[in-house]
Amino acid sequence: VHHEGGTGGPVSRILLIGSGADEQLAGYSRHRGCYATEGWLGLTREVAMEMGRLHGRNLGRDDRCVSDRGRESRLPFLDERLVGFLNDLPMDCKARLDLPRGVGDKLLLRCVAMLLGLGECCLTPKRAIQFGSRIAKCENRREKGGDNCNRLTDCRTHSQTLNY
């Protein structure tokens, strides 16, 4: 996203974003905990809840990040037909959380990737960029993705004081 040209390489204006894959295919570590305590039914409820709040937690933030760099995002895992297809599948066809991390989570997606010849990435556990890079710890260790950002609230209050 940060490449603006000048090195001779092509500049993509459209980015494929993976939003929705973890939510629908039990790709988060919290899904393992839910499965361990509540079984398939609890996991199915958790996944449905995650899909219901995806727009408020992730999509706005992701769109702001992408559009800030003059790009547009495409969300193939949120295509209506794919979401409908995945909703019709039983959870144990999408994930097998009794298998190790990096294998059983998002199992259906990993199997498709293997069939497409992407074997090297099929068994790699996910590492979210904001957590894997440790950037989430830079400012407030207790801040969660769905929390209101105090820094933005403070700016809004300050701008109202200045009559902006």
Side-chain angles (χ1 to χ4, degrees), residues 78-145:
L78 295 178
D79 177 83
E80 288 181 28
R81 293 167 297 174
L82 181 61
V83 171
F85 172 76
L86 291 173
N87 279 338
D88 288 342
L89 290 178
M91 187 56 67
D92 63 343
C93 289
K94 298 184 266 188
R96 287 280 313 276
L97 300 183
D98 54 321
L99 296 174
R101 185 173 171 264
V103 177
D105 47 317
K106 297 185 284 189
L107 182 63
L108 180 61
L109 181 58
R110 293 176 191 283
C111 290
V112 169
M114 184 70 77
L115 289 171
L116 293 173
L118 303 170
E120 192 172 314
C121 69
C122 292
L123 302 176
T124 304
K126 79 170 264 123
R127 190 166 137 173
I129 190 166
Q130 71 272 27
F131 303 121
S133 67
R134 308 291 189 250
I135 196 165
K137 294 183 178 182
C138 289
E139 292 185 350
N140 184 348
R141 291 174 189 252
R142 289 182 216 133
E143 198 170 81
K144 304 286 186 214

Side-chain angles (χ1 to χ4, degrees), residues 4 7 25 33 41 52-53 62 72 85 98 108 147 156 164:
E4 294 294 334
T7 61
L25 300 170
L41 184 59
R53 67 182 184 194
D62 295 350
E72 292 181 42
F85 172 76
D98 54 321
L108 180 61
D147 292 348
R156 209 172 323 142
Y164 284 126

